[in-house]
Amino acid sequence: MQHHRRYPGRLALLPLVVALAAAGCAGPGAGSSPGTDGSPGPVEAASSGPVPEEGATINPAPSASTDPLGCGQPFETPGDDVLTVDGRFPLTASGTDRAVTGTVEVTSRRAVRGVVSPRAEVFLVRQGRVAAVPAAQDLIGVQWDLAAGDVEQLPGDVPLVSCDPAGGPVPTGDYELYARVVIFPDGGTDRLVSFGGPWPLRVT
C-alpha cells in the first residue's frame, strides 16, 4: 500500500502546475496531440490500459520483440509460485498432421483472481531451442477465481509448422512440448505467467 505524505512546500508548485496545464490546452503543436489520422498521440499509445475484464478480447502473447518464445531462441522453464501446469498430449504425431492437440490441467498454488485466455499456449522445443511457436489467439477471455488447490483445465494445441522463415512442416524427430498459461489479475498488477512441461513428442 502506498503511503501519502504531506509536504509543507507543495503549494509552491502550484504555479508550475498551472503553467503545464495551460501548455497542454494550447492546441496542436503543444504536448502530445493525436495524429492526423485520428490515432492516439505518443503518450496515449504508451499507456498499457486497464486489466481486461471478463468477456474482454485479449491476446496474451506479447509482441515478437519481447516474447521469450522467439523462434530459435534457447528456452528453459522459468519457475513461479502461482500455478502448477500439467499436460496430456500424444506421444507421437505424423508430419502430415496439422497440429498436436491436448489438455492442460492447471492447479493453483495460491489464491488468484483474473482473466485468462480459454486456450493454453503450446509450443515445441528441439535441442533446447524453440522450434514451433504457439498459435495466435484473439479470443474472449474468461474469469478465474481460484483458491489454493483449485484445478482448472484448458485445451491447447500447437501447429506442426516450423517457425523458421521458410516455414513448412516441422522436420521429423524428437521434440519437447511446453505449455504457457497467462493470467491478467484483477487490480492492475502485472500479468502472471506459468509454464508446464516438458512432455515428449516424436514427429514421424
Side-chain angles (χ1 to χ4, degrees):
M1 179 180 296
Q2 294 182 345
H3 297 281
H4 298 282
R5 299 179 180 178
R6 297 180 180 271
Y7 292 95
R10 62 182 178 180
L11 293 179
L13 297 177
L14 183 57
L16 177 60
V17 173
V18 173
L20 292 177
C25 298
S32 297
S33 59
T36 56
D37 59 352
S39 61
V43 174
E44 292 173 314
S47 174
S48 59
V51 174
E53 297 178 355
E54 183 176 7
T57 300
I58 61 173
N59 183 355
S63 65
S65 61
T66 60
D67 194 345
L69 306 186
C71 184
Q73 294 297 312
F75 177 78
E76 294 183 2
T77 308
D80 66 73
D81 62 350
V82 183
L83 304 175
T84 298
V85 180
D86 294 318
R88 294 192 294 275
F89 291 90
L91 294 176
T92 61
S94 170
T96 60
D97 291 341
R98 298 184 62 182
V100 171
T101 300
T103 301
V104 171
E105 185 174 272
V106 176
T107 304
S108 183
R109 300 181 189 175
R110 59 179 174 86
V112 61
R113 186 176 190 275
V115 175
V116 65
S117 172
R119 302 187 73 83
E121 299 175 281
V122 183
F123 56 100
L124 292 181
V125 172
R126 189 178 193 186
Q127 297 178 346
R129 295 183 178 273
V130 175
V133 297
Q137 296 193 52
D138 189 13
L139 304 172
I140 303 300
V142 295
Q143 184 77 43
W144 275 5
D145 190 357
L146 305 177
D150 283 354
V151 178
E152 292 281 356
Q153 289 187 343
L154 295 172
D157 51 67
V158 58
L160 293 180
V161 177
S162 173
C163 63
D164 288 334
V170 295
T172 58
D174 293 329
Y175 293 83
E176 294 177 328
L177 272 165
Y178 289 86
R180 176 170 67 177
V181 178
V182 181
I183 300 178
F184 295 85
D186 292 352
T189 57
D190 292 339
R191 66 184 193 147
L192 304 175
V193 183
S194 299
F195 289 87
W199 305 292
L201 175 70
R202 173 166 290 181
V203 178
T204 59

